[in-house]
Structures are given as C-alpha cells and as structure tokens.
Amino acid sequence: GTWQYIRDKVQSFFDSAVEFDLTRGSFIGNDNMAGRKLKDRLVTHVRAMQNLMTEIEFEWLRQWYVQGEKHAGLHPYWHGPIKSLCNSFCELERMTMDLCGLLHNESKSTANSCLSENLFDVLIESFAERSKQRRLWRQRYQDTIFSILEEDERPFSCSCLDRNYEGRCDGNLLWDGAHMPEDLDELIEIVRKYRSAFVGRDASVDSGSKSSKKRKASLMTKREQKRVASNWERLKSKLG
C-alpha cells in the first residue's frame, strides 16, 4: 500500500473512535444506547482497531525496521510517516489497555453491560494472531543472512515495538498504564479469565465434573469451542 492509503485509514479510524469511551464502554453523547446495538457496534469498533494494529505492525513498521538504518538513511521522506505510524500504534495500544481495564472491572458485574462474549473473543483472537506473527518475525531475525550484512544493514530497534517491558502481573492486571507487553501470551490468558468470569457471572453455584467442563469451555472463544466439538464428533464417528 501507499502512505496515503494507510494515513487515510488511520485517520478514518480515529475520526470514528471519538464516538467511543472505551473506559466506560459507551458512546460519547449517547448514554442511552444500550442492548444489542451497543454491543454489536462496540465489537465492530474493537475488531477494526485490532486489525489496524496488526496491519501497522506487520505491513509497515516491521517491514521498515528490518531493512536497516542504511536503508532508512536513503529514504528520508519516510521518516515522518513512520514516526506518525509509531505514534498511532502506541495510541491504539493505550486504547486497547483502556478496554482491558473495562473488561476487568465489569466482567463479574451482573448489571446490564456493554460487554459480550464476542468482544472477549475479538481480543483473544487478535492477540493470538499478533503473538503468532511476532514469533515468526523473531525466527526471521535469526536468519544467518543478517550476520554477514554490515551493521547498518541489519534490523534495528523500533521504539514502540522492541521495548523492555517492566509492567506488572498480579494474576488479573498486566499493563504499565499505556503499553501492551511485547509478549502477548500472558495477556491472552488474563483476558480468558475475564471471559470466564463474564460467562459465569449469572451461573448458580455448582460443583462436579459438569461445572468444571463449563468453566473450561468459558475460557475458550466460540470458534475454539466449535473446533473442540467438531473434533469430538469426528472421534466418536471413528470409535463407532
């Protein structure tokens, strides 16, 4: 894509984002919107946000920084756009962490909420996809080709991606107030716990293997649950 394309796409998203308050899960200036409409619009908005983050990171920032400082020096026109994309990515991270704070605060509430299982699933699946792609990029950085290149032709650090994370994890929260951890796996597990609490918030007290299975299922996205069910049906057909 071109700079104009991604610039306009980012601007379009932030223009629409002014309607949302992700710390409260509401529409600014429209507190009366509720129910299915609010939940569906919030899921659509969060999915667009996460897709944009994935696109910026892997189709723009990492593609730029992997080419080395020499390449960057030969293309000064791109310095401004890359800085702008870094700033946008950091702002999207902050918004995502605001949303994680909302999930933490409201996942156990029995009050009428903007949350839905689909909202948790969008985050889990988006984080998992970015985590997978980051692992592939780490493998790419280990390519022996880089060892024979000049220092200024090797990948160099991106301030908004390659940072030392010094956040905290108390079993519930995992952030430093603004930035997401570079390793998303622990954050995925925390969001899964929020999902489980949300799904089980209205459940009566139960015990035994049936309840245990329900709790285990509540940690999984709907797509994962369907995959497990499908695998079980195939196994039963083989055994039968």
Side-chain angles (χ1 to χ4, degrees), residues 8 14 25 32 72 75 79 98 101 122 142 170 185 210 231:
D8 293 347
F14 280 117
N32 294 323
H75 299 84
H79 293 183
D98 283 345
V122 164
Q142 299 303 313
D170 59 10
D185 290 345
K210 191 172 182 180
N231 290 340

Side-chain angles (χ1 to χ4, degrees), residues 25 34-35 38-39 102 106-107 109-116 198 201:
L38 170 59
K39 293 177 181 180
L102 176 69
E106 295 201 13
S107 60
S109 173
T110 57
N112 186 27
S113 171
C114 63
L115 305 189
S116 66
F198 174 75
R201 70 197 187 287

Side-chain angles (χ1 to χ4, degrees), residues 6-71:
I6 191 63
R7 178 197 62 193
D8 293 347
K9 188 171 184 177
V10 170
Q11 188 59 53
S12 176
F13 174 81
F14 280 117
D15 287 345
S16 68
V18 299
E19 301 177 359
F20 295 86
D21 181 354
L22 292 180
T23 62
R24 297 173 56 217
S26 63
F27 286 86
I28 297 174
N30 192 355
D31 289 333
N32 294 323
M33 183 181 292
R36 184 80 182 189
K37 186 176 181 180
L38 170 59
K39 293 177 181 180
D40 288 349
R41 286 192 63 182
L42 186 57
V43 168
T44 299
H45 176 72
V46 171
R47 180 179 288 110
M49 176 170 65
Q50 296 305 309
N51 287 343
L52 182 58
M53 292 180 71
T54 298
E55 182 174 1
I56 291 174
E57 176 172 350
F58 298 106
E59 296 186 28
W60 294 90
L61 297 182
R62 292 199 182 276
Q63 298 291 348
W64 170 261
Y65 284 94
V66 76
Q67 296 181 78
E69 292 180 301
K70 181 178 180 179
H71 171 269

Side-chain angles (χ1 to χ4, degrees), residues 103 120-121 124-125 128 185-199 215-222 224:
L103 300 187
F120 291 91
D121 292 357
I124 292 170
E125 291 168 357
D185 290 345
E186 191 170 6
L187 185 56
I188 291 170
E189 293 307 307
I190 289 172
V191 176
R192 287 190 187 279
K193 291 179 181 178
Y194 294 163
R195 187 190 194 284
S196 181
F198 174 75
V199 172
R215 285 195 296 271
K216 185 176 181 180
S218 69
L219 293 167
M220 297 187 289
T221 66
K222 291 179 180 179
E224 290 169 334

Side-chain angles (χ1 to χ4, degrees), residues 92-239:
L92 292 168
E93 279 198 322
R94 184 196 63 77
M95 294 167 67
T96 300
M97 296 317 293
D98 283 345
L99 179 60
C100 287
L102 176 69
L103 300 187
H104 171 251
N105 293 332
E106 295 201 13
S107 60
K108 295 182 180 180
S109 173
T110 57
N112 186 27
S113 171
C114 63
L115 305 189
S116 66
E117 289 182 49
N118 290 337
L119 183 60
F120 291 91
D121 292 357
V122 164
L123 285 180
I124 292 170
E125 291 168 357
S126 298
F127 293 169
E129 175 60 24
R130 282 210 296 282
S131 182
K132 182 179 75 173
Q133 292 200 43
R134 286 179 181 181
R135 285 194 294 271
L136 293 174
W137 271 90
R138 284 195 290 270
Q139 293 175 13
R140 182 178 180 182
Y141 293 146
Q142 299 303 313
D143 195 313
T144 55
I145 187 64
F146 293 121
S147 64
I148 65 175
L149 295 178
E150 296 294 332
E151 186 69 28
D152 61 359
E153 295 177 333
R154 300 175 187 175
F156 65 112
S157 178
C158 172
S159 59
C160 69
L161 295 176
D162 307 312
R163 54 177 177 260
N164 292 323
Y165 177 68
E166 297 180 354
R168 64 188 179 88
C169 175
D170 59 10
N172 288 310
L173 306 178
L174 177 63
W175 59 75
D176 61 5
H179 298 300
M180 299 172 66
E182 186 175 348
D183 184 349
L184 296 174
D185 290 345
E186 191 170 6
L187 185 56
I188 291 170
E189 293 307 307
I190 289 172
V191 176
R192 287 190 187 279
K193 291 179 181 178
Y194 294 163
R195 187 190 194 284
S196 181
F198 174 75
V199 172
R201 70 197 187 287
D202 295 323
S204 58
V205 177
D206 197 1
S207 61
S209 60
K210 191 172 182 180
S211 177
S212 178
K213 288 180 180 178
K214 287 183 179 180
R215 285 195 296 271
K216 185 176 181 180
S218 69
L219 293 167
M220 297 187 289
T221 66
K222 291 179 180 179
R223 188 174 300 176
E224 290 169 334
Q225 292 176 37
K226 287 181 180 179
R227 190 181 304 128
V228 169
S230 178
N231 290 340
W232 171 239
E233 290 301 322
R234 283 198 295 270
L235 179 60
K236 285 198 299 183
S237 67
K238 290 181 180 179
L239 294 175

